[in-house]
Amino acid sequence: MILINLINTIFYLAIAYLSIGLYLYVVSKRFFDITAKSFKRIFSSHKDSNFISDKQRLPSEQVNKKVIHFFLLHGTILNFFMLLLLIFYYL
């Protein structure tokens, strides 16, 4: 019973890590930059309609590559560990 709870907990942690890592990977590949620029243009005041503020960085510029690697690596390691525990459980 304890082993099943451990496997389930590791699965949830691994899925969370991988989801965060994959989301950050998509953001880092400039997928949401056009949307961010469009929102800046729409919600800027009328007097600044020709000038888009460069004070805020784009979403792809805010993501650190080391953070992406951290989440993807740890999510993969947790999945591998979970699979080992599953093999041990079914043997």
Short mmCIF file of all heavy atoms in Angstrom, two decimals, residues 48-74:
data_model
loop_
_atom_site.label_atom_id
_atom_site.label_comp_id
_atom_site.label_asym_id
_atom_site.label_seq_id
_atom_site.Cartn_x
_atom_site.Cartn_y
_atom_site.Cartn_z
N ASP A 48 -0.01 57.16 -27.62
CA ASP A 48 1.15 56.31 -27.83
C ASP A 48 0.87 55.20 -28.84
O ASP A 48 1.52 54.17 -28.83
CB ASP A 48 1.59 55.68 -26.52
CG ASP A 48 2.09 56.69 -25.51
OD1 ASP A 48 2.57 57.75 -25.97
OD2 ASP A 48 2.00 56.42 -24.31
N SER A 49 -0.09 55.41 -29.74
CA SER A 49 -0.50 54.33 -30.62
C SER A 49 0.60 53.93 -31.61
O SER A 49 0.64 52.79 -32.05
CB SER A 49 -1.76 54.72 -31.39
OG SER A 49 -1.49 55.86 -32.18
N ASN A 50 1.49 54.84 -31.96
CA ASN A 50 2.57 54.51 -32.89
C ASN A 50 3.81 54.00 -32.17
O ASN A 50 4.74 53.53 -32.80
CB ASN A 50 2.95 55.73 -33.72
CG ASN A 50 1.83 56.13 -34.66
OD1 ASN A 50 1.06 55.27 -35.10
ND2 ASN A 50 1.74 57.41 -34.96
N PHE A 51 3.82 54.12 -30.85
CA PHE A 51 4.99 53.73 -30.07
C PHE A 51 4.62 52.59 -29.14
O PHE A 51 3.75 52.72 -28.30
CB PHE A 51 5.49 54.92 -29.24
CG PHE A 51 6.60 54.58 -28.31
CD1 PHE A 51 7.85 54.31 -28.80
CD2 PHE A 51 6.37 54.51 -26.94
CE1 PHE A 51 8.88 53.99 -27.93
CE2 PHE A 51 7.39 54.18 -26.07
CZ PHE A 51 8.66 53.92 -26.57
N ILE A 52 5.27 51.46 -29.34
CA ILE A 52 5.06 50.32 -28.46
C ILE A 52 6.17 50.34 -27.41
O ILE A 52 7.34 50.40 -27.74
CB ILE A 52 5.09 48.99 -29.24
CG1 ILE A 52 3.95 48.98 -30.26
CG2 ILE A 52 4.98 47.82 -28.30
CD1 ILE A 52 3.94 47.78 -31.15
N SER A 53 5.77 50.31 -26.17
CA SER A 53 6.72 50.42 -25.07
C SER A 53 7.68 49.24 -25.06
O SER A 53 7.27 48.09 -25.11
CB SER A 53 5.96 50.48 -23.75
OG SER A 53 6.87 50.46 -22.69
N ASP A 54 8.95 49.54 -25.03
CA ASP A 54 9.97 48.50 -24.92
C ASP A 54 10.45 48.34 -23.49
O ASP A 54 11.47 47.71 -23.25
CB ASP A 54 11.15 48.83 -25.83
CG ASP A 54 10.79 48.68 -27.30
OD1 ASP A 54 9.91 47.86 -27.60
OD2 ASP A 54 11.39 49.38 -28.13
N LYS A 55 9.73 48.94 -22.55
CA LYS A 55 10.12 48.82 -21.15
C LYS A 55 9.96 47.38 -20.67
O LYS A 55 10.76 46.89 -19.89
CB LYS A 55 9.28 49.74 -20.28
CG LYS A 55 9.51 51.21 -20.55
CD LYS A 55 8.57 52.06 -19.72
CE LYS A 55 8.71 53.52 -20.10
NZ LYS A 55 7.71 54.34 -19.44
N GLN A 56 8.93 46.72 -21.14
CA GLN A 56 8.69 45.34 -20.75
C GLN A 56 9.30 44.42 -21.80
O GLN A 56 9.16 44.62 -23.00
CB GLN A 56 7.21 45.06 -20.63
CG GLN A 56 6.53 45.82 -19.52
CD GLN A 56 5.04 45.51 -19.47
OE1 GLN A 56 4.49 44.97 -20.43
NE2 GLN A 56 4.42 45.85 -18.38
N ARG A 57 9.96 43.40 -21.31
CA ARG A 57 10.55 42.43 -22.22
C ARG A 57 9.49 41.46 -22.71
O ARG A 57 8.45 41.27 -22.08
CB ARG A 57 11.66 41.67 -21.52
CG ARG A 57 12.81 42.56 -21.11
CD ARG A 57 13.94 41.78 -20.54
NE ARG A 57 13.51 40.95 -19.41
CZ ARG A 57 14.26 40.02 -18.85
NH1 ARG A 57 15.47 39.80 -19.29
NH2 ARG A 57 13.81 39.33 -17.82
N LEU A 58 9.75 40.83 -23.83
CA LEU A 58 8.85 39.82 -24.37
C LEU A 58 8.92 38.56 -23.51
O LEU A 58 9.91 38.32 -22.82
CB LEU A 58 9.24 39.51 -25.81
CG LEU A 58 9.07 40.66 -26.79
CD1 LEU A 58 9.66 40.29 -28.14
CD2 LEU A 58 7.61 41.03 -26.94
N PRO A 59 7.88 37.73 -23.55
CA PRO A 59 7.88 36.52 -22.71
C PRO A 59 9.07 35.59 -22.99
O PRO A 59 9.62 34.99 -22.07
CB PRO A 59 6.57 35.83 -23.07
CG PRO A 59 5.69 36.92 -23.55
CD PRO A 59 6.58 37.92 -24.21
N SER A 60 9.49 35.50 -24.25
CA SER A 60 10.60 34.60 -24.56
C SER A 60 11.92 35.11 -24.00
O SER A 60 12.85 34.33 -23.76
CB SER A 60 10.73 34.42 -26.07
OG SER A 60 11.02 35.66 -26.69
N GLU A 61 12.02 36.41 -23.76
CA GLU A 61 13.25 36.97 -23.20
C GLU A 61 13.30 36.82 -21.68
O GLU A 61 14.36 36.99 -21.10
CB GLU A 61 13.35 38.45 -23.58
CG GLU A 61 13.47 38.69 -25.06
CD GLU A 61 13.34 40.16 -25.41
OE1 GLU A 61 12.99 40.96 -24.52
OE2 GLU A 61 13.57 40.49 -26.58
N GLN A 62 12.20 36.53 -21.06
CA GLN A 62 12.15 36.43 -19.61
C GLN A 62 12.44 35.03 -19.10
O GLN A 62 12.67 34.84 -17.92
CB GLN A 62 10.78 36.88 -19.10
CG GLN A 62 10.50 38.34 -19.35
CD GLN A 62 9.12 38.75 -18.89
OE1 GLN A 62 8.34 37.92 -18.44
NE2 GLN A 62 8.83 40.02 -18.99
N VAL A 63 12.42 34.04 -19.99
CA VAL A 63 12.62 32.66 -19.58
C VAL A 63 14.10 32.34 -19.56
O VAL A 63 14.83 32.59 -20.51
CB VAL A 63 11.88 31.70 -20.54
CG1 VAL A 63 12.15 30.26 -20.17
CG2 VAL A 63 10.39 31.98 -20.52
N ASN A 64 14.54 31.75 -18.46
CA ASN A 64 15.92 31.35 -18.31
C ASN A 64 16.08 29.91 -18.79
O ASN A 64 15.31 29.02 -18.39
CB ASN A 64 16.34 31.47 -16.84
CG ASN A 64 17.80 31.26 -16.62
OD1 ASN A 64 18.54 30.93 -17.54
ND2 ASN A 64 18.23 31.45 -15.38
N LYS A 65 17.06 29.65 -19.62
CA LYS A 65 17.27 28.30 -20.18
C LYS A 65 17.63 27.28 -19.10
O LYS A 65 17.26 26.12 -19.21
CB LYS A 65 18.38 28.33 -21.24
CG LYS A 65 18.16 29.30 -22.35
CD LYS A 65 17.04 28.89 -23.23
CE LYS A 65 16.94 29.89 -24.39
NZ LYS A 65 15.68 29.87 -25.04
N LYS A 66 18.32 27.72 -18.05
CA LYS A 66 18.69 26.79 -16.98
C LYS A 66 17.46 26.29 -16.24
O LYS A 66 17.43 25.15 -15.79
CB LYS A 66 19.65 27.47 -16.01
CG LYS A 66 21.01 27.73 -16.59
CD LYS A 66 21.93 28.34 -15.57
CE LYS A 66 23.29 28.61 -16.17
NZ LYS A 66 24.22 29.21 -15.20
N VAL A 67 16.45 27.12 -16.12
CA VAL A 67 15.21 26.71 -15.44
C VAL A 67 14.49 25.66 -16.27
O VAL A 67 13.96 24.68 -15.72
CB VAL A 67 14.31 27.95 -15.19
CG1 VAL A 67 12.98 27.53 -14.61
CG2 VAL A 67 15.00 28.93 -14.27
N ILE A 68 14.49 25.83 -17.58
CA ILE A 68 13.85 24.85 -18.46
C ILE A 68 14.54 23.50 -18.31
O ILE A 68 13.88 22.46 -18.14
CB ILE A 68 13.90 25.31 -19.93
CG1 ILE A 68 13.09 26.59 -20.11
CG2 ILE A 68 13.37 24.22 -20.86
CD1 ILE A 68 13.27 27.23 -21.47
N HIS A 69 15.86 23.50 -18.36
CA HIS A 69 16.61 22.25 -18.23
C HIS A 69 16.40 21.62 -16.85
O HIS A 69 16.31 20.40 -16.74
CB HIS A 69 18.10 22.49 -18.47
CG HIS A 69 18.42 22.84 -19.88
ND1 HIS A 69 18.38 21.91 -20.89
CD2 HIS A 69 18.77 24.00 -20.47
CE1 HIS A 69 18.69 22.48 -22.03
NE2 HIS A 69 18.93 23.78 -21.80
N PHE A 70 16.31 22.44 -15.82
CA PHE A 70 16.06 21.93 -14.47
C PHE A 70 14.76 21.14 -14.42
O PHE A 70 14.72 19.99 -13.97
CB PHE A 70 16.03 23.07 -13.46
CG PHE A 70 15.57 22.67 -12.09
CD1 PHE A 70 16.45 22.08 -11.21
CD2 PHE A 70 14.25 22.87 -11.70
CE1 PHE A 70 16.03 21.69 -9.94
CE2 PHE A 70 13.83 22.49 -10.45
CZ PHE A 70 14.72 21.90 -9.56
N PHE A 71 13.66 21.75 -14.90
CA PHE A 71 12.35 21.09 -14.81
C PHE A 71 12.29 19.85 -15.70
O PHE A 71 11.75 18.81 -15.30
CB PHE A 71 11.23 22.06 -15.16
CG PHE A 71 10.86 22.97 -14.04
CD1 PHE A 71 11.16 24.33 -14.09
CD2 PHE A 71 10.21 22.50 -12.91
CE1 PHE A 71 10.83 25.18 -13.05
CE2 PHE A 71 9.87 23.34 -11.87
CZ PHE A 71 10.19 24.67 -11.94
N LEU A 72 12.83 19.94 -16.91
CA LEU A 72 12.77 18.78 -17.81
C LEU A 72 13.65 17.64 -17.30
O LEU A 72 13.23 16.47 -17.36
CB LEU A 72 13.19 19.19 -19.22
CG LEU A 72 12.22 20.11 -19.95
CD1 LEU A 72 12.76 20.47 -21.33
CD2 LEU A 72 10.84 19.48 -20.08
N LEU A 73 14.82 17.95 -16.80
CA LEU A 73 15.71 16.90 -16.29
C LEU A 73 15.12 16.21 -15.07
O LEU A 73 15.07 14.98 -15.00
CB LEU A 73 17.08 17.49 -15.95
CG LEU A 73 18.09 16.52 -15.36
CD1 LEU A 73 18.50 15.49 -16.41
CD2 LEU A 73 19.28 17.26 -14.82
N HIS A 74 14.64 17.00 -14.12
CA HIS A 74 14.10 16.40 -12.90
C HIS A 74 12.79 15.64 -13.17
O HIS A 74 12.53 14.61 -12.54
CB HIS A 74 13.91 17.46 -11.82
CG HIS A 74 15.20 17.87 -11.21
ND1 HIS A 74 16.04 18.78 -11.79
CD2 HIS A 74 15.82 17.47 -10.07
CE1 HIS A 74 17.10 18.94 -11.04
NE2 HIS A 74 17.00 18.15 -9.99
#
